[in-house]
């Protein structure tokens, strides 16, 4: 279990499901729908939902590209963590938000698999968190023109290597949304 003492809770992270980030992603509608169901479940089970929102030159703060997709609506009491780097922990208040809620395990969803998702799952485990990647609730766009594998292979590879990831005193796992256990 987590190496963070006195932090038995889990939180659902919704990373960068923004118009300008997930708009061209493979299986966009399916992944957004899966995340929507997980958000609803987390709320019913009183599990914190933490929204992460990226901005940079391609996704300018306040622009339409920066907005969350219309299918997902954050409740006012749910934390919103703005970020400028791939790792949602890097130079943000995410750690403070999770510590205040007693969270030692993060359940990760969102976009893009090969950038912000990978960076955040690694950032979480090195900071002492147990990290569950929801295998059918993350996606990416096709970057094969720049030498990346096709998006389905990027997603499959990330699920494969994270399901075999290990760290002392921490758990890394990949589960489908239907198998997520928050408690």
């Amino acid at each position: 279990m987590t190496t963070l003492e006195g932090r038995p809770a889990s939180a659902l992270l919704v990373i960068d499901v923004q118009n300008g980030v997930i708009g061209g992603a493979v299986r966009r509608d399916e992944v957004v729908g899966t995340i929507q169901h997980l958000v609803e479940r987390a709320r019913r089970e009183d599990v914190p939902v933490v929204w992460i929102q990226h901005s940079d030159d391609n996704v300018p703060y306040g622009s339409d590209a920066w907005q969350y997709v219309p299918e997902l609506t954050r409740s006012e009491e749910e934390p919103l963590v703005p970020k400028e780097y791939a790792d949602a922990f890097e130079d943000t208040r995410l750690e403070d938000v999770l510590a205040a809620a007693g969270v030692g395990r993060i359940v990760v969803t969102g976009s893009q698999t090969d950038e912000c998702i990978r960076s955040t799952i690694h950032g979480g485990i090195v900071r002492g968190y147990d990290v569950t990647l929801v295998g059918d609730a993350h996606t990416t766009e096709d970057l094969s023109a720049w030498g990346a594998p096709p998006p389905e292979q990027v997603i499959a590879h990330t699920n494969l290597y994270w399901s075999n990831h290990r760290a002392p005193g921490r758990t890394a796992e990949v589960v489908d949304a239907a198998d997520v256990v928050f408690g």
Side-chain angles (χ1 to χ4, degrees):
M1 293 302 288
T2 178
T3 60
L4 302 170
E5 290 187 33
R7 292 173 57 177
S10 295
L12 176 65
L13 301 188
V14 182
I15 299 174
D16 303 349
V17 189
Q18 300 161 249
N19 293 323
V21 178
I22 199 170
V26 66
R27 297 182 6 259
R28 179 239 185 249
D29 294 344
E30 177 186 335
V31 170
V32 170
T34 300
I35 294 170
Q36 185 177 37
H37 290 298
L38 280 168
V39 168
E40 292 167 0
R41 271 190 49 215
R43 288 173 177 161
R44 281 193 309 271
E45 296 179 28
D46 292 320
V47 171
V49 179
V50 181
W51 301 79
I52 313 297
Q53 194 167 23
H54 188 80
S55 62
D56 63 20
D57 290 343
N58 297 317
V59 186
Y61 181 87
S63 69
D64 184 57
W66 176 80
Q67 302 298 326
Y68 254 78
V69 297
E71 299 94 325
L72 297 176
T73 304
R74 180 179 70 88
S75 294
E76 282 299 315
E77 65 275 0
E78 294 170 340
L80 175 65
V81 177
K83 71 176 182 68
E84 296 179 2
Y85 300 99
D87 180 351
F89 288 93
E90 192 66 43
D91 199 27
T92 70
R93 62 186 186 85
L94 180 57
E95 170 56 26
D96 294 336
V97 167
L98 297 174
V103 171
R105 175 178 169 249
I106 55 174
V107 179
V108 177
T109 67
S111 189
Q112 300 228 64
T113 300
D114 42 355
E115 184 73 23
C116 299
I117 297 301
R118 283 185 185 173
S119 296
T120 300
I121 60 179
H122 286 283
I125 206 152
V126 300
R127 288 171 174 86
Y129 290 88
D130 290 330
V131 180
T132 298
L133 176 61
V134 185
D136 57 349
H138 65 95
T139 187
T140 193
E141 64 187 323
D142 188 349
L143 299 173
S144 58
W146 293 273
E152 291 289 359
Q153 288 180 1
V154 170
I155 294 163
H157 178 254
T158 302
N159 288 342
L160 172 68
Y161 88 73
W162 197 252
S163 67
N164 291 301
H165 196 81
R166 296 176 347 126
R170 289 152 283 165
T171 303
E173 66 178 349
V174 177
V175 300
D176 285 338
D179 299 321
V180 169
V181 177
F182 289 116

